[in-house]
Amino acid sequence: MSIIEEIIEIKDYIYLKIKTGGYFILPKSKIENVTEVQINLASLAEKLKINYTKELEWKWK
């Protein structure tokens, strides 16, 4: 059982949606090896059977 409900990646951030309704926000600019984190999170999403959504062109309106 996991508290992570969904993983959402946009251009500058990775959001881990938590089942309580909140988000854990990972700013890509602060991550030393973004590719490694992306691979590990994709693997985690597959293991937990949750969505890993990439919206790299997403912008605030």
Side-chain angles (χ1 to χ4, degrees):
M1 186 168 146
S2 171
I3 63 167
I4 301 172
E5 189 174 89
E6 182 180 10
I7 301 169
I8 304 162
E9 180 179 349
I10 62 173
K11 180 181 175 189
D12 296 321
Y13 297 93
I14 299 172
Y15 297 91
L16 305 178
K17 185 176 181 185
I18 308 301
K19 288 184 179 178
T20 59
Y23 289 85
F24 185 78
I25 303 169
L26 302 169
K28 290 182 183 178
S29 64
K30 301 294 183 183
I31 299 172
E32 189 172 311
N33 189 337
V34 174
T35 303
E36 185 175 332
V37 171
Q38 290 166 320
I39 291 168
N40 287 329
L41 288 175
S43 176
L44 178 64
E46 186 176 322
K47 179 181 174 186
L48 296 175
K49 296 181 178 26
I50 61 173
N51 289 335
Y52 187 129
T53 305
K54 289 189 177 191
E55 297 182 11
L56 302 178
E57 300 300 319
W58 183 89
K59 295 180 183 176
W60 287 100
K61 294 182 181 182

